[in-house]
């Protein structure tokens, strides 16, 4: 840790700015497809990623010890649910560093930015695409009129929460100003 890390704590905190991403992700996660835990299927899928299911898993991007699960395709883009869910074909073992660096990028864009040779990039993209195609079967068409109608009220509720968060930020600013006096 560096002393400059303190800067983020010495600024005005905004509920809306700091937690908007968390809320968007929560709303997307709540309606996304999720698969049931099936150990046999998971073992088979991990073998497709050249992983030993009975050992510590490795990051699919850098081969270091995996510490989290990465979504190959983000659940949220531009604040909206993408249609990809919490299912085997969209989740891969990942280290925290790669997961953080990848962020919301799609896996091919992330891999193309890695400092590895082009052949390794293409092999990795091919391996992950095969995995995704084999185990991602429930992508939701978020552009369909059925989905749009079905989620209208849901997104209205999310927007109300965002408006309340903005209102709370204004209220917090007024409280801070009064406490300064």
């Amino acid at each position: 840790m560096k002393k400059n890390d303190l800067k983020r704590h010495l600024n005005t905190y905004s509920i809306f700015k700091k937690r908007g991403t968390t809320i968007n992700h929560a709303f997307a996660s709540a309606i996304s497809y999720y698969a049931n835990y099936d150990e046999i299927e998971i073992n088979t899928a991990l073998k497709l990623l050249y992983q030993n299911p009975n050992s510590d898993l490795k990051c699919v991007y850098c081969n270091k010890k995996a510490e989290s699960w990465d979504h190959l395709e983000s659940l949220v883009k531009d604040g909206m649910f993408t249609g990809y869910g919490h299912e085997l074909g969209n989740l891969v073992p990942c280290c925290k560093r790669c997961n953080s660096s990848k962020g919301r990028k799609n896996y091919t864009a992330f891999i193309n930015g890695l400092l590895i040779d082009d052949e390794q990039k293409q092999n990795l993209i091919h391996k992950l695409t095969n995995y995704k195609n084999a185990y991602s079967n429930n992508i939701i068409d978020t552009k369909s009129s059925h989905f749009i109608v079905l989620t209208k009220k849901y997104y209205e509720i999310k927007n109300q929460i965002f408006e309340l968060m903005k209102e709370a930020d204004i209220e917090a600013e007024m409280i801070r100003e009064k406490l300064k006096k």
Side-chain angles (χ1 to χ4, degrees):
M1 183 167 67
K2 305 278 186 194
K3 70 178 178 187
N4 286 345
D5 294 334
L6 187 57
K7 284 182 184 178
R8 67 185 176 96
H9 292 286
L10 299 177
N11 284 315
T12 302
Y13 186 91
S14 167
I15 298 167
F16 177 71
K17 289 180 184 172
K18 293 286 189 175
R19 295 295 168 227
T21 301
T22 304
I23 299 297
N24 279 326
H25 194 272
F27 269 77
S29 291
I31 61 174
S32 74
Y33 176 83
Y34 65 92
N36 292 319
Y37 187 90
D38 178 334
E39 192 162 354
I40 294 169
E41 184 178 41
I42 290 167
N43 288 346
T44 304
L46 287 170
K47 289 175 185 172
L48 188 59
L49 293 173
Y50 308 120
Q51 302 267 346
N52 180 345
N54 299 314
S55 296
D56 288 339
L57 301 177
K58 303 286 185 192
C59 176
V60 295
Y61 304 113
C62 73
N63 214 32
K64 291 183 180 165
K65 183 180 177 184
E67 303 160 297
S68 64
W69 290 92
D70 175 53
H71 290 88
L72 291 175
E73 302 288 353
S74 179
L75 297 180
V76 179
K77 183 176 182 182
D78 300 326
M80 302 296 282
F81 174 53
T82 61
Y84 291 93
H86 301 295
E87 64 178 328
L88 197 50
N90 198 35
L91 292 165
V92 292
C94 190
C95 71
K96 287 182 182 177
R97 184 170 183 233
C98 286
N99 202 341
S100 180
S101 295
K102 181 177 170 281
R104 291 185 295 248
K105 291 182 209 119
N106 127 322
Y107 69 102
T108 57
F110 177 67
I111 292 167
N112 281 319
L114 292 175
L115 298 174
I116 56 176
D117 69 51
D118 287 343
E119 185 177 347
Q120 287 176 299
K121 289 177 185 179
Q122 292 311 309
N123 288 339
L124 183 53
I125 289 170
H126 181 73
K127 175 173 70 172
L128 294 179
T129 299
N130 286 342
Y131 170 79
K132 180 180 154 191
N133 290 340
Y135 293 98
S136 269
N137 304 312
N138 297 292
I139 301 164
I140 297 168
D141 180 6
T142 59
K143 305 265 189 267
S144 75
S145 58
H146 177 68
F147 179 83
I148 292 167
V149 168
L150 200 58
T151 59
K152 185 177 188 286
K153 182 171 181 174
Y154 190 73
Y155 282 120
E156 286 172 2
I157 293 168
K158 183 183 89 163
N159 291 334
Q160 289 171 357
I161 290 169
F162 281 142
E163 290 306 313
L164 288 170
M165 290 166 67
K166 290 176 189 175
E167 191 177 326
D169 278 340
I170 293 167
E171 198 64 29
E173 178 64 29
M174 290 188 327
I175 293 168
R176 278 193 307 275
E177 288 301 315
K178 288 178 182 178
L179 291 173
K180 283 182 185 177
K181 296 178 183 177

